[in-house]
Amino acid sequence: MRTLAELAEALRALRRRHARRRRDGELTYRALAARTGWSIAAVAEYLTGQTLPPTDRFDILVALLGATPAEQGALATARDRVAEHRRVPRESGRGRRTVIPRQLPADVFAFTGRAAQLARLDALLTEADPAGTAVVISAVSGTAGVGKTSLAVHWAHRAAGRFPDGQLYLNLRGYDPGQPMSPGDALARLLAATGVPEAEIPVGVEERAARYRTQLADRRMLVLLDNAGGVEQVRPLLPGGSSCTVLITSRDSLAGLVARDGARRIDLDPLPPAEAVTLLGNLIGPRTADEPDAVAQLARLCAGLPLALRIAAERAAAYPANPLAALVAELTDRRHRLDLMDAGDDPHAAVTAVFSWSLRHLPAPTARTFRLLGLHPGPDFDRYAAAALADVDLTDAGRELAALARAHLVQPATADRYAMHDLLRAYAAQLADAEETDESRRAALSRLFDLHLAAVSAAIDVLHPADRRKDAVPTPVAAVPEFADPAAARAWLDAQRPALVAAAGYALDSGWPGHASSLSNVIYRYLEGGHFLDALAVHGYARRAAEEAGDDTGQAHALVDLGSAYLALSRFDLAADHFQQALTRYERTGDLAGQARALADLGKLERRRGRHESAATFIHRALALAELGGDDTGHAQALMDLGFIETERGRYDEAVAYHRQALARAGRIGHRLGEAAALLNIGLVELRSGRYDEAVDDLRRALTMFRVLGNRTGEAAALSHLGNAYTSLDDPEQAIVHLNLAQEIVLDSSDREGQSWVLNGLGEAAYATGRSADALDLHTEALAIAVEIDVHEPQARAHRGLGRAYAALDDLDRARHHLALALDRYRELQSREADQVQTLLNALDSN
C-alpha cells in the first residue's frame, strides 16, 4: 500500500476484526481516545485517512487494535512507505501541505581539495547564531570551469542536516548562450518547490518575491542559487527572514551583494598542482603512479580547472593501453595551436584546448551532434531533439549522446534527458557558428521546431482527441515519440515543458514566429490543465507573433488562451478584457467557432462571479454560434455550461436535460472527455436532488473515464462529489477517503476553486461524525479561499457549514450570522439551497 487511504482502510480492517473477536462491538473513537489520551478528533483523522499518524502514535494504535507482531512490522513498513510517497512530513493547516524540498543535485564524484573553502563555509554557519538569526550569503565566484558548482553542491550535501526544512537548488543559467533565467521565472520555480500551487503564484515579480519571503519565513532552509549572472538577477531571490542560508555561485564578483546585502565572498582559484594531480589520480586510476611527470604536465595543461581535468581524465581512461605521455603530447600540440591562433590572450585557452582535444577523438558524426546541440534553446534535451538537430535516426542519436556523456561533454539531467555545462554549450555554439553554414544551422533548428509541433500534436491527440485546433502541423523529418496512453503523453509534456517554453520565446525572436503561434495553438488544452504561468508565456509569445504578422485569427486564439489563464488565476478583470478582445477579432474574421469559445468563456467568467443571468446569455449565444458553425465540441461544451448554471439555480430537470444532450453529442463525435464531464454533471444533479445511489453510480462511471483519460481535474471533481454523496448516505468514513484523494489532486494541480469545494466537503463529513470544531476549521479555510478568488457558491456553502457547526457548539449568535450570510449568497445565486438554509434559520429562531 502506498496511499494514506489504503493505510487507513487497513487500520479500519483491524478495528473490525477486533470487534468480531471481542464480541463487544468496535472500539469507538471515544474509547480509543480514552485509552491513548489523544483527542477524539485525532483518532477520527487517523482512522479515516485524513492525517498520517506520527510513528509513535501509529505503533500504539495498531497494538491497541490487536495487530500481531508480524502485522505490526508490516504496517510500520507500510506507514513509512506512505510517508515517503507523500513527501509530507509536516502539515500546515487542514488543506495545505508543508513541502520539504530536497533539490540538491547528486554530490560530486571524487571531489578533491578545497579544504580551506569548505572550512570557510562551515565557519560561516558557526558564526551565525545557532538558532538561525542571521542570513549568510556566500558568493562563490571564479572563472568558468573552476569548480564553483562542485564546491557548492559538495558542501551543501555535507551541511544538509543543518537545514531541516529543506534545500532548494536553482540553476539561473546566467552565462548560458541562450536567455538567462529571469528573476520572475526563478521565483515561480522556487515558490512551486516550496509547495505553492501554480494558481497561487502571483503574476508580478514584486508580488512573487513577497510571497517567496513569506514562504521561507521562520524556516531553516538552504537556498543554492547556481550560475548567477549578476546582482539584479539574484537580489529578488533573497529571503527576507533570518533563518535561511543562501549560497550563490557566479563568475561575477557580486560586489553589490557584498556591499549592500552583507554577502561573504569566497573566491576560487584553479586547483593547486598537488590537488590537481590527486584529482587526476582519483579519476584515471592506479596507472598515474607509473607516469608522475606526465600526470603533472597534464594537470598543468588543464590549468588546474576541474572541468578540464575531468574531461582530460576521461580521455585518458578511454585509452588504457596508451601511455599518458602520448596523450599529453597530443594535448600539448593542441594547446600550442590554439595559443598561436589566439595570440595567447584567451583566458579560457586551457579549457578550450581540452574541449577541442577531447572532441577531436570522437567520430565526426558525434562531434557534429555536439556542436549542433549548442543551438538548442532549452535547458535540457532528449534523444529526439538530438536526432532532429543532427538529422540522424533515433538509434544513432542515442549512441552519440552516450558517447558525449562518456566524454563528459554532456551530462545526464533526468531520466532520458541531458544537459550541458554553460561553458561547453557556449563552445558548441561557437563551433556551430564556425563550422556550419547559415543554411545548415537554420535547417537544424527548423527540424527541431517541427519535431516540437509534431510531438506536442501527437500528445494532445492522445489526451484530447476531439478537442484540438486542427491547424496544419509540419510533417517532421525526425523521429517523433509515440504515446501508448494519456499517462505517457502527459509525462512527456511534463518533462518537455521547460524546453518548449524556451523554444517558443527563442523562435519568436530568431526568425520563426510561425512556430511560436503554432505551438500555442496545439498545446493550449494541456497548459489549461494547471500550467498557467507557462500558458501566459507561450500565449504571450504567440500574441506578439500574430501582432507582428497582422494576423487577426492568431491574435484572437492567443487572446482567448491568455484570458483562460488569467481566469484560472482568478484575475477576472484581465480575463474579461482578453476575452472581449478575442471576441472582437473573431467577429472581424468571421470565425464562428472562435466566437463561440470566447462567448462561452465570458459566460464561465460571469458564472464564477455569481451572475447567472448574464452567464446564461453569453452561453446561449455561444450555443447558437457553435450549432451554426457545425462545431460539435463547442456545442457539447455550451450545453454542459448551461446545465451547470441550471444546477446552481436548483433547476434540476432542466440541468439534466442539458447534460444528457451534451452526453449524446459527445458520444457521437468520440469526445471522451466531454462524455466523462457530462456524466460528472449528471451525477452532481442527482446528488443535489437527493438521488444519492444514482449519483454514486454515475459519478463512479465518470471517475473511471477520467482516470483512463489521465484527466486529473475531472478525477478530483468526481472524487469530491462522491465524497459528498457518501456523507449524505451516512457513510462519512468513505466520504473522507474520497475527499482526501480529491484533496491530493487539487493541491497538486493548483485548483484553488477545487480546494474550496473539497474543504467544504471535508467540513460536512467532519460535522456528520460529530467533529464540529474540526468542521469549523475546514469551512473557515474553504471560505478564505473562496473569498480570495471571488467564487460565490463555495462561499455560500462554507457559511452554511459554519452556521451548522456553530449551532452544534451552542454558539447560536455566530450560527445565525453565518446562516444569514449563506442565505443571502444562495438567494443571489437563485439557488434552491436557500430554502434549506431558511429552514435551519427558522429552527434556530424557534429555540
Side-chain angles (χ1 to χ4, degrees):
M1 63 189 73
R2 296 192 65 186
T3 69
L4 184 54
E6 292 171 328
L7 187 65
E9 175 54 35
L11 294 177
R12 293 196 296 274
L14 282 177
R15 184 174 170 224
R16 291 192 293 269
R17 188 182 72 183
H18 182 279
R20 290 195 300 272
R21 288 177 174 176
R22 294 290 298 273
R23 300 180 183 278
D24 55 359
E26 284 188 344
L27 279 168
T28 64
Y29 294 169
R30 188 177 299 279
L32 285 168
R35 293 191 188 188
T36 59
W38 310 332
S39 69
I40 296 174
V43 172
E45 288 177 354
Y46 299 156
L47 288 173
T48 57
Q50 191 169 337
T51 301
L52 181 67
T55 303
D56 55 344
R57 289 195 171 194
F58 186 81
D59 294 342
I60 293 169
L61 184 58
V62 295
L64 282 175
L65 294 175
T68 66
E71 288 171 333
Q72 290 180 37
L75 285 167
T77 300
R79 183 221 171 267
D80 293 343
R81 196 174 294 132
V82 170
E84 175 65 23
H85 180 64
R86 286 165 59 84
R87 301 192 304 278
V88 190
R90 299 190 297 152
E91 296 277 339
S92 175
R94 300 284 181 178
R96 190 63 51 80
R97 294 171 296 177
T98 299
V99 174
I100 297 185
R102 309 287 188 193
Q103 292 193 316
L104 294 179
D107 201 355
V108 181
F109 172 71
F111 184 88
T112 301
R114 306 300 194 194
Q117 289 82 6
L118 291 169
R120 176 61 177 144
L121 287 166
D122 289 338
L124 288 174
L125 279 187
T126 305
E127 291 168 11
D129 188 289
T133 57
V135 175
V136 177
I137 305 167
S138 299
V140 180
S141 59
T143 189
V146 79
K148 300 181 294 298
T149 298
S150 296
L151 171 67
V153 170
H154 183 69
W155 178 81
H157 277 282
R158 294 197 337 171
R162 301 284 297 272
F163 303 99
D165 293 320
Q167 305 90 42
L168 293 166
Y169 171 85
L170 193 60
N171 182 356
L172 296 173
R173 303 176 66 199
Y175 293 91
D176 267 14
Q179 188 72 17
M181 187 177 294
S182 69
D185 287 345
L187 285 164
R189 292 172 187 267
L190 291 168
L191 286 169
T194 59
V196 178
E198 189 168 343
E200 294 182 39
I201 296 175
V203 175
V205 174
E206 291 185 7
E207 293 83 356
R208 288 182 186 179
R211 181 65 185 272
Y212 170 70
R213 292 191 292 269
T214 300
Q215 281 292 109
L216 267 60
D218 301 322
R219 298 177 72 179
R220 298 291 312 277
M221 297 186 75
L222 173 66
V223 183
L224 202 172
L225 303 173
D226 198 12
N227 292 318
V231 172
E232 297 311 313
Q233 187 186 28
V234 171
R235 187 166 279 134
L237 313 183
L238 302 181
S242 58
S243 58
C244 295
T245 293
V246 184
L247 187 59
I248 306 164
T249 75
S250 179
R251 298 183 206 173
D252 190 280
S253 65
L254 302 178
L257 211 63
V258 174
R260 174 175 153 184
D261 301 280
R264 329 288 179 85
R265 189 168 67 233
I266 298 177
D267 293 321
L268 280 192
D269 294 321
L271 287 173
E275 291 182 2
V277 166
T278 300
L279 178 58
L280 287 172
N282 291 336
L283 294 170
I284 297 172
R287 60 192 279 229
T288 55
D290 300 329
E291 298 183 73
D293 292 341
V295 175
Q297 193 172 1
L298 185 59
R300 181 184 62 77
L301 287 167
C302 292
L305 296 173
L307 176 62
L309 289 163
R310 287 179 179 274
I311 293 174
E314 174 55 36
R315 292 295 335 139
Y319 294 92
N322 287 10
L324 293 177
L327 298 175
V328 168
E330 285 187 25
L331 180 54
T332 301
D333 179 64
R334 198 72 184 165
R335 175 68 188 271
H336 179 63
R337 292 185 196 180
L338 287 172
D339 284 347
L340 288 175
M341 285 192 304
D342 297 331
D345 292 331
D346 182 0
H348 304 307
V351 72
T352 303
V354 173
F355 292 168
S356 171
W357 173 62
S358 180
L359 202 63
R360 182 169 167 267
H361 285 272
L362 295 177
T366 307
R368 182 170 186 267
T369 297
F370 170 76
R371 62 178 178 262
L372 289 173
L373 286 171
L375 302 176
H376 191 280
D380 54 22
F381 45 85
D382 61 9
R383 60 192 180 123
Y384 289 94
L389 285 166
D391 197 15
V392 298
D393 65 32
L394 207 56
T395 300
D396 286 344
R399 187 183 303 116
E400 289 165 8
L401 284 171
L404 291 170
R406 286 194 299 272
H408 289 268
L409 296 173
V410 302
Q411 65 225 33
T414 59
D416 302 322
R417 299 189 71 78
Y418 297 84
M420 299 175 76
H421 188 284
D422 56 356
L423 204 55
L424 281 161
R425 186 188 291 270
Y427 178 64
Q430 289 170 6
L431 290 179
D433 283 342
E435 300 182 28
E436 300 286 335
T437 65
D438 289 345
E439 292 78 11
S440 172
R441 291 193 301 273
R442 186 166 185 86
L445 283 168
S446 293
R447 288 191 299 270
L448 177 68
F449 297 151
D450 287 352
L451 165 70
H452 285 170
L453 290 176
V456 171
S457 178
I460 295 300
D461 280 343
V462 173
L463 285 170
H464 304 289
D467 199 20
R468 178 174 67 81
R469 294 184 188 128
K470 301 300 181 183
D471 288 22
V473 172
T475 301
V477 296
V480 178
E482 295 181 0
F483 307 108
D485 52 41
R490 188 175 296 279
W492 183 86
L493 286 165
D494 288 344
Q496 194 75 16
R497 190 173 72 249
L500 293 171
V501 175
Y506 180 87
L508 174 65
D509 294 332
S510 304
W512 285 269
H515 170 76
S517 296
S518 295
L519 180 65
S520 169
N521 279 337
V522 295
I523 203 172
Y524 77 100
R525 280 298 185 208
Y526 163 73
L527 295 177
E528 280 183 349
H531 309 296
F532 310 123
L533 299 178
D534 286 337
L536 291 177
V538 170
H539 302 319
Y541 297 144
R543 181 185 183 182
R544 282 176 50 200
E547 286 175 343
E548 290 172 8
D551 176 7
D552 268 352
T553 298
Q555 289 182 59
H557 287 340
L559 285 162
V560 81
D561 292 335
L562 286 166
S564 293
Y566 283 123
L567 178 59
L569 292 165
S570 300
R571 302 291 293 268
F572 292 152
D573 290 341
L574 280 170
D577 179 58
H578 282 77
F579 291 147
Q580 289 286 2
Q581 290 188 58
L583 179 60
T584 299
R585 284 163 177 77
Y586 281 132
E587 289 173 342
R588 197 152 60 208
T589 61
D591 185 337
L592 297 181
Q595 292 175 53
R597 185 184 172 198
L599 288 165
D601 284 339
L602 284 165
K604 290 175 186 174
L605 173 59
E606 291 295 279
R607 181 182 65 76
R608 286 192 53 184
R609 284 171 155 170
R611 303 168 183 170
H612 284 153
E613 293 295 339
S614 175
T617 299
F618 278 121
I619 294 171
H620 275 296
R621 289 174 61 192
L623 181 66
L625 286 172
E627 188 167 16
L628 182 62
D631 178 10
D632 286 321
T633 299
H635 194 282
Q637 184 59 57
L639 288 168
M640 281 187 276
D641 289 337
L642 288 171
F644 206 95
I645 291 173
E646 297 306 320
T647 301
E648 291 186 345
R649 286 170 159 175
R651 301 173 183 174
Y652 300 138
D653 291 341
E654 293 89 338
V656 167
Y658 279 126
H659 291 314
R660 292 206 181 279
Q661 290 180 60
L663 178 63
R665 186 172 289 264
R668 283 199 301 273
I669 62 174
H671 186 12
R672 291 173 291 168
L673 184 59
E675 290 181 86
L679 281 170
L680 174 76
N681 293 332
I682 290 169
L684 177 60
V685 175
E686 290 164 341
L687 172 61
R688 294 200 176 183
S689 56
R691 294 177 284 155
Y692 305 127
D693 291 326
E694 295 174 54
V696 167
D697 289 343
D698 282 322
L699 290 171
R700 285 205 169 280
R701 288 173 61 199
L703 177 63
T704 299
M705 294 181 71
F706 282 127
R707 283 175 168 167
V708 168
L709 293 169
N711 187 288
R712 299 282 280 168
T713 302
E715 182 182 351
L719 286 165
S720 178
H721 295 334
L722 277 167
N724 298 333
Y726 281 119
T727 298
S728 299
L729 287 167
D730 295 324
D731 191 352
E733 289 187 352
Q734 275 296 315
I736 291 170
V737 167
H738 286 79
L739 288 161
N740 277 331
L741 291 171
Q743 186 179 48
E744 290 189 9
I745 296 171
V746 296
L747 286 169
D748 288 341
S749 63
S750 310
D751 182 356
R752 295 287 281 153
E753 186 171 357
Q755 290 171 37
S756 67
W757 282 93
V758 173
L759 287 164
N760 274 323
L762 286 168
E764 288 159 4
Y767 176 82
T769 58
R771 296 181 291 118
S772 298
D774 290 337
L776 284 180
D777 291 343
L778 291 158
H779 287 303
T780 297
E781 188 164 358
L783 179 62
I785 293 172
V787 169
E788 178 187 344
I789 63 176
D790 194 27
V791 288
H792 289 210
E793 184 169 10
Q795 291 182 41
R797 187 178 172 194
H799 282 302
R800 181 182 62 185
L802 287 167
R804 293 199 306 171
Y806 277 122
L809 294 168
D810 293 326
D811 190 339
L812 301 186
D813 288 340
R814 285 181 176 166
R816 289 188 182 92
H817 169 72
H818 283 287
L819 288 174
L821 289 173
L823 182 62
D824 289 343
R825 298 290 188 279
Y826 278 128
R827 282 176 173 169
E828 289 171 4
L829 294 168
Q830 300 177 344
S831 171
R832 190 181 295 182
E833 305 291 328
D835 296 337
Q836 299 176 13
V837 175
Q838 184 65 68
T839 300
L840 291 173
L841 272 171
N842 294 340
L844 283 182
D845 291 337
S846 65
N847 289 338

